[in-house]
Amino acid sequence: MTSSEELHKRRGAAVARGVGSTISSYVDHAGGGTITDVEGRQWIDFAAGIAVANVGNSARRVVEAVKAQVERFTHTCFMVAPYESYVAVCEQLNAITPGDFEKRSALFNSGAEAVENAVKIARHATGRPAVVVFDHAYHGRTNLTMALTAKNMPYKHRFGPFAGEIYRVPMSYPLRDGGLSGAEAAARAIEMVEKQVGAENVAALLIEPIQGEGGFVVPAAGFLPALREWATAAGVVFVADEIQTGFCRTGQWFACEHEEVVPDLITLAKGIAGGLPLAAVTGRAELMDAVHVGGLGGTYGGNPIACAAALASIETMRELELTCAAQRIETVMAARLRTIAERDPRIAEVRGRGAMLAVELVQPGTLVPDPAATAAISAACHAAGLLTLTCGTYGNVLRFLPPLVISDDELARGLDILDAAFG
Ligand code: PLZ
């Protein structure tokens, strides 16, 4: 088999430099809680392909469903010749997302595409132009979603000009906003919208219930419910971006459920289809159905193989009770992270929910971010056989997103490596 080193050389000559990778080893196979490279080296997987492989790589049901679908047909385009699995995925999404009202769904390929479509739907349904987003937000890399994303490097730098009518307001970030309550942080954001944009001009308020790329920021209790209440009163569509938080990741099917917040629209992707590319917008029937026939779509959106995988993934989440699995991971991992934090003053905070946990690193005794220490600890993990990711506006958050099917033993071994990497 070709070595990682040779592959890396070929890559340099063939793949655009702008596409990065966390590790320079090349994957041979992956499953459960591990990834194995072409040299037979194994990593404990605390990344899950950025919160995608919730049911694990090559989950049994997913493999079977995909194989069966590939044999029947691979693509007809739902907009040309429709098929049952697209309808069945929409039925499932309408049933499992929060809100007991009538819902509709539409399927797309990527998270960014789902977010773009949620904005299109909200604008069309309300006849208003503005979209409110938050500091530290991440919503994608396409032109509209770059405008919605907060961080310049690496996502936006020299890629403008960006789409208009996007307004950014402060997030609730308990570690860094001087201890504002959720209600106070919401009032601050709402006042800014009312004074600078005007509620009657706002189509949508778009928010990740727990921010992903922005640093696993969990807003203070009450923040999301206060925004939800304001949006209802102002006729603003509340859009929850659950692309990273969805599908059992946080110990509930969707992160909004932790505070019983019911969005009008939800954007979904990542964990939805066990690694196959699929995304969705799910929400209130009257908003979704406001759009004229033919107004939503795309060649591959709701591809039949991805739909088969999604149905199998959702079934697997139910069968293996992956919400409970995420809660169990939290119990074990959070305890261990707190133990490390007790002895290491660089850890300012341990935070997150379920199997979406992180530590934020600072210079001891301050809130000054320490991205260098974060990168060094992450690199030490990689060298010792644990795949970790970093995130955060300041690059100083080490985040952990294991597949929800990781075994107790793999989880413990991963945490041992992490513990040692902190020194
Ligand atoms: N919304 C909340 O987390 C994707 C991005 C990785 P796509 N996050 C991983 C990278 O560097 O590109 C994400 C997200 C939230 C939207 C998206 C976008 O989803 O499927 O990557 O388009």
Side-chain angles (χ1 to χ4, degrees), residues 50 110-112 138-141 155 208 213 241 243-244 270:
I50 324 186
S110 66
Y138 183 91
H139 298 293
R141 292 177 183 264
Y155 308 121
E208 302 154 85
E213 305 307 305
D241 181 344
I243 287 165
Q244 190 153 159
K270 289 193 186 276

Side-chain angles (χ1 to χ4, degrees), residues 24 39-40 58 108 136 138 144 169 198 204 217 241 288 302-303 379 402 415:
S24 57
E39 273 91 24
S58 306
F108 305 98
H136 315 289
Y138 183 91
L144 175 57
V169 295
V217 180
D241 181 344
M288 296 293 295
N303 167 273
L415 291 170

Side-chain angles (χ1 to χ4, degrees), residues 98-375:
D100 50 13
F101 38 77
E102 188 80 7
K103 290 179 212 149
R104 300 286 184 270
S105 293
L107 305 183
F108 305 98
N109 302 296
S110 66
E113 215 188 326
V115 172
E116 293 237 1
N117 277 280
V119 170
K120 281 165 66 172
I121 292 162
R123 282 180 170 156
H124 190 106
T126 58
R128 302 173 179 183
V131 178
V132 171
V133 290
F134 290 81
D135 284 336
H136 315 289
Y138 183 91
H139 298 293
R141 292 177 183 264
T142 58
N143 188 263
L144 175 57
T145 59
M146 274 192 293
L148 300 166
T149 290
K151 192 174 176 179
N152 178 51
M153 261 319 242
Y155 308 121
K156 303 166 75 165
H157 183 61
R158 292 171 69 104
F159 294 143
F162 303 112
E165 289 299 324
I166 311 294
Y167 301 91
R168 192 172 307 286
V169 295
M171 179 65 185
S172 165
Y173 192 155
L175 179 68
R176 294 189 175 275
D177 65 11
L180 286 185
S181 69
E184 287 163 345
R188 176 177 68 171
I190 290 165
E191 190 191 345
M192 206 178 244
V193 175
E194 288 183 337
K195 295 290 176 267
Q196 299 183 14
V197 192
E200 64 277 22
N201 299 316
V202 178
L205 180 149
L206 170 64
I207 189 162
E208 302 154 85
I210 299 175
Q211 290 183 321
E213 305 307 305
F216 280 30
V217 180
V218 185
F223 183 69
L224 295 170
L227 294 175
R228 167 68 275 190
E229 202 175 306
W230 172 81
T232 303
V236 169
V237 179
F238 185 102
V239 186
D241 181 344
E242 292 251 16
I243 287 165
Q244 190 153 159
T245 49
F247 295 100
C248 307
R249 174 57 54 189
T250 67
Q252 296 287 340
W253 275 87
F254 300 99
C256 279
E257 294 170 48
H258 292 285
E259 289 197 85
E260 285 164 29
V261 165
V262 178
D264 299 311
L265 300 178
I266 305 188
T267 56
L268 303 164
K270 289 193 186 276
I272 190 172
L276 276 86
L278 188 73
V281 181
T282 295
R284 288 185 183 276
E286 64 273 24
L287 297 173
M288 296 293 295
D289 280 346
V291 178
H292 50 278
V293 175
L296 303 174
T299 304
Y300 289 116
N303 167 273
I305 302 167
C307 284
L311 293 172
S313 296
I314 293 168
E315 212 173 305
T316 304
M317 290 173 205
R318 285 211 185 89
E319 185 186 64
L320 302 182
E321 298 184 331
L322 291 189
T323 50
C324 300
Q327 291 165 20
R328 281 199 303 277
I329 292 169
E330 177 175 3
T331 305
V332 173
M333 190 183 268
R336 195 68 182 272
L337 295 176
R338 288 205 186 91
T339 309
I340 301 172
E342 272 167 30
R343 69 162 202 263
D344 195 322
R346 293 173 298 181
I347 299 178
E349 190 173 52
V350 175
R351 61 176 181 252
R353 288 193 207 275
M356 185 174 181
L357 299 182
V359 291
E360 177 160 352
L361 276 78
V362 296
Q363 288 171 20
T366 74
L367 281 179
V368 179
D370 195 342
T374 311

